[in-house]
């Protein structure tokens, strides 16, 4: 989910507090928001926390954008690793060998590193996330039913 104004301001307030800098005015916040409006809240928040932990100096927009890209890659990598765990890379016209599945996994990592995931991989990631969300919701309902007994 893309970051909204309120969440963005909350993150920026945290960033400003960590660096003891004076507060940004409305115009400055708007200009920064233009650069980060398409970033997910969780990615933006993690990127800020990483920058605060790593750097003594207040970040520039480009430094924060780079950190957001890095955090997004980490997130996608974690999903790709889950997909591997659940056998995604063994799927094909027929079940692939371990060798071929590993090669497909490595190719996907290469595409991710180059920032050019093919559309079919992006679609499969979305489908995998949707499927996992349904499983999580089903498990949560089962857990709730157990608690109610």
């Amino acid at each position: 989910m893309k970051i909204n104004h309120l969440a963005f301001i909350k993150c920026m307030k945290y960033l400003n507090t960590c660096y003891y800098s004076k507060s940004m005015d409305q115009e400055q916040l708007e200009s920064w928001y233009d650069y980060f409006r398409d970033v997910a809240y969780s990615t933006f928040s993690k990127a800020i926390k990483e920058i605060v932990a790593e750097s003594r100096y207040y970040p520039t927009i480009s430094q924060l954008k780079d950190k957001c890209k890095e955090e997004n890659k980490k997130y996608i990598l974690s999903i790709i690793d889950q997909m591997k765990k659940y056998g995604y890379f063994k799927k094909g016209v027929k079940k692939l060998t371990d060798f071929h599945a590993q090669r497909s996994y490595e190719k996907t990592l290469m595409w991710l590193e180059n920032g050019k995931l093919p559309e079919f991989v992006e679609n499969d990631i979305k489908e995998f996330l949707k499927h996992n969300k349904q499983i999580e919701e089903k498990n949560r309902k089962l857990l709730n039913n157990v608690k109610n007994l």
Side-chain angles (χ1 to χ4, degrees), residues 10-22:
K10 179 182 171 187
C11 289
M12 292 303 291
K13 185 175 181 178
Y14 174 81
L15 182 65
N16 286 323
T17 300
C18 288
Y19 285 100
Y20 304 109
S21 59
K22 60 183 179 185

Side-chain angles (χ1 to χ4, degrees), residues 75-85 88-89 105 108-109 112 117 121 125 128:
Y75 173 67
I76 293 171
L77 178 60
S78 72
I79 295 167
I80 290 170
D81 285 343
Q82 286 179 13
M83 290 170 75
K84 180 183 179 189
K85 178 180 167 186
Y88 168 80
F89 294 101
Y105 172 74
T108 303
L109 294 181
L112 177 62
L117 280 176
V121 175
I125 287 172
F128 180 79

Side-chain angles (χ1 to χ4, degrees), residues 126-142:
K126 289 174 187 172
E127 191 62 36
F128 180 79
L129 287 173
K130 190 168 103 178
H131 179 71
N132 273 6
K133 189 173 184 178
Q134 290 170 348
I135 291 171
E136 284 176 28
E137 288 173 6
K138 185 177 180 181
N139 288 341
R140 195 174 303 121
K141 285 178 185 175
L142 289 172

Side-chain angles (χ1 to χ4, degrees), residues 1-148:
M1 179 166 47
K2 295 183 183 353
I3 195 165
N4 63 36
H5 256 100
L6 187 58
F8 175 78
I9 290 170
K10 179 182 171 187
C11 289
M12 292 303 291
K13 185 175 181 178
Y14 174 81
L15 182 65
N16 286 323
T17 300
C18 288
Y19 285 100
Y20 304 109
S21 59
K22 60 183 179 185
S23 296
M24 291 181 155
D25 63 23
Q26 186 67 27
E27 191 175 313
Q28 290 169 315
L29 282 170
E30 287 298 323
S31 64
W32 276 63
Y33 182 68
D34 285 343
Y35 288 96
F36 297 101
R37 67 173 11 123
D38 292 331
V39 176
Y41 168 73
S42 60
T43 300
F44 190 66
S45 178
K46 286 177 187 173
I48 286 176
K49 289 178 181 172
E50 284 285 321
I51 288 218
V52 167
E54 295 172 357
S55 178
R56 318 170 90 164
Y57 304 106
Y58 197 91
T60 63
I61 289 173
S62 64
Q63 288 169 327
L64 190 51
K65 281 190 73 69
D66 288 345
K67 188 56 77 174
C68 287
K69 287 177 188 173
E70 186 181 309
E71 286 301 318
N72 197 45
K73 270 188 181 179
K74 285 183 200 175
Y75 173 67
I76 293 171
L77 178 60
S78 72
I79 295 167
I80 290 170
D81 285 343
Q82 286 179 13
M83 290 170 75
K84 180 183 179 189
K85 178 180 167 186
Y86 288 105
Y88 168 80
F89 294 101
K90 289 192 173 212
K91 294 178 183 175
V93 175
K94 60 180 183 175
K95 188 175 179 181
L96 299 177
T97 65
D98 288 343
F99 173 78
H100 287 97
Q102 183 63 29
R103 296 279 294 142
S104 293
Y105 172 74
E106 290 168 359
K107 231 187 309 185
T108 303
L109 294 181
M110 179 194 66
W111 289 327
L112 177 62
E113 186 60 35
N114 292 333
K116 297 176 184 172
L117 280 176
E119 189 175 337
F120 76 91
V121 175
E122 288 180 11
N123 291 337
D124 288 349
I125 287 172
K126 289 174 187 172
E127 191 62 36
F128 180 79
L129 287 173
K130 190 168 103 178
H131 179 71
N132 273 6
K133 189 173 184 178
Q134 290 170 348
I135 291 171
E136 284 176 28
E137 288 173 6
K138 185 177 180 181
N139 288 341
R140 195 174 303 121
K141 285 178 185 175
L142 289 172
L143 262 174
N144 287 336
N145 290 338
V146 169
K147 289 178 186 177
N148 292 331

